[in-house]
Amino acid sequence: MLKVDTPKISPQQVEAFERDGVICVKNALDDIWIERMRKAVDKNISIPGPLEGKNTPKKEASAEHASSLWLVDADFRALAFESPLPKLAVGVLKSEKLNFLADGFFVKKPEANGRIGWHNDLPYWPVQGWQCCKIWLALDTVKQENGRLEYIKGSHQWGRELREGSNPSWFVEPEPHEILSWDMEAGDCLIHHFLTIHHSVTNKSSTQRRAIVTNWTGDDVTYYQRQKAWPFKPLEEIDLPQFNSLKTKKFGEPIDCDIFPRVEVHRHRTHI
């Protein structure tokens, strides 16, 4: 297990997360972790992910993505259970318990039209509750030119779910709203609420932009089966034993199970 200094989540950062729906944490992971995870992403980018067909060739796309790599890859598993990320998650959620939903990576190719439209995350997960967050970890420098994320400040407080491309009558392009975004260095991370509306812009630069996401939930989150939600295919088609624990889940039950494991956090090392 790699040892790193745990970044401190201050009361001011918790307040900003609750108010704005997103914060940027500088130097969340050190260079050792970043180099390890860069190699892990580069290793997995050209092969099918665990939720894809084993004999399905990778399609060419402007952005590469795979999820649930912790189930098959030791480095992604270590990131979820041994890195400082769980402490960051439990800190902003102010939760007594912490569950890990899934991980994933996003690689935006150079000079490619890889824009992701306005959306929030909750409608894509089989859960309901307030204590939900995503950690978006930069593995490269992130700027406007290579596809940084932009957030509508405070939009998590609207209590609305927004799928990409759904165009509901209540949502208009966010000119009237304040937009939050950050230039980032490798090792910095964004932490956003599952209801915070965001998008990412096109990578117009000559270099790729790599990032890893991890998804976390707290005390009040329960199982809620949704249409067109993760894992985006029938459970019977997934040949991974951890998914068997999801087949018996009922509406409103705690999500604790093999595929959404609880993560033990050493609270004496967590700063809130």
Side-chain angles (χ1 to χ4, degrees):
M1 176 177 173
L2 294 174
K3 302 293 185 182
V4 298
D5 292 332
T6 301
K8 298 179 181 179
I9 292 291
S10 69
Q12 292 77 20
Q13 286 174 307
V14 174
E15 181 183 356
F17 175 80
E18 293 177 342
R19 179 189 66 237
D20 301 337
V22 58
I23 59 172
C24 181
V25 179
K26 298 294 186 180
N27 303 307
L29 294 189
D30 68 7
D31 292 343
I32 297 174
W33 272 110
I34 293 305
E35 186 58 30
R36 179 178 182 180
M37 298 316 300
R38 282 172 174 168
K39 291 178 180 178
V41 169
D42 293 346
K43 176 181 65 177
N44 283 281
I45 193 170
S46 60
I47 59 178
L51 298 185
E52 303 172 56
K54 294 181 179 179
N55 298 317
T56 303
K58 277 275 191 178
K59 296 180 180 179
E60 283 293 320
S62 59
E64 299 289 350
H65 170 63
S67 69
S68 303
L69 290 139
W70 72 277
L71 295 169
V72 297
D73 186 282
D75 293 316
F76 277 89
R77 184 173 180 84
L79 183 72
F81 296 102
E82 300 174 14
S83 81
L85 298 188
K87 298 179 181 68
L88 295 178
V90 80
V92 298
L93 294 176
K94 297 196 298 189
S95 180
E96 290 298 317
K97 74 160 186 168
L98 185 71
N99 287 80
F100 178 63
L101 294 188
D103 57 20
F105 66 75
F106 291 90
V107 178
K108 283 199 170 186
K109 296 181 179 179
E111 300 175 345
N113 184 22
R115 179 184 181 274
I116 296 177
W118 293 103
H119 69 284
N120 53 24
D121 294 341
L122 187 59
Y124 297 99
W125 290 100
V127 300
Q128 65 177 358
W130 182 252
Q131 291 169 293
C132 310
C133 72
K134 175 178 288 216
I135 299 179
W136 192 96
L137 174 69
L139 299 183
D140 300 298
T141 298
V142 179
K143 297 183 178 181
Q144 177 73 21
E145 294 77 20
N146 71 345
R148 72 182 180 189
L149 275 68
E150 298 180 339
Y151 295 85
I152 301 179
K153 181 179 179 179
S155 55
H156 65 308
Q157 298 179 17
W158 300 351
R160 300 267 197 166
E161 296 183 11
L162 179 66
R163 287 180 177 266
E164 183 181 5
S166 59
N167 300 315
S169 59
W170 60 266
F171 181 74
V172 295
E173 288 294 319
E175 284 83 355
H177 306 292
E178 183 176 349
I179 301 299
L180 298 176
S181 62
W182 290 265
D183 289 345
M184 304 168 68
E185 298 298 330
D188 298 346
C189 73
L190 301 167
I191 309 178
H192 70 248
H193 193 277
F194 266 20
L195 282 175
T196 307
I197 296 173
H198 58 285
H199 76 161
S200 68
V201 300
T202 298
N203 183 0
K204 299 179 180 179
S205 75
S206 59
T207 58
Q208 66 179 355
R209 189 225 67 190
R210 294 167 292 184
I212 290 176
V213 296
T214 51
N215 299 275
W216 309 90
T217 66
D219 299 328
D220 74 336
V221 175
T222 57
Y223 182 68
Y224 182 72
Q225 190 171 5
R226 300 172 184 268
Q227 297 294 318
K228 298 180 180 180
W230 185 94
F232 303 105
K233 62 193 308 184
L235 296 178
E236 293 73 20
E237 297 180 10
I238 302 175
D239 188 23
L240 292 166
Q242 293 88 346
F243 278 90
N244 292 331
S245 65
L246 203 57
K247 294 177 180 178
T248 57
K249 276 290 170 191
K250 295 181 175 59
F251 174 86
E253 289 184 342
I255 66 169
D256 304 51
C257 62
D258 292 343
I259 199 62
F260 298 145
R262 288 185 64 163
V263 180
E264 296 300 323
V265 178
H266 300 294
R267 296 184 181 276
H268 66 281
R269 296 181 62 189
T270 302
H271 301 262
I272 300 178

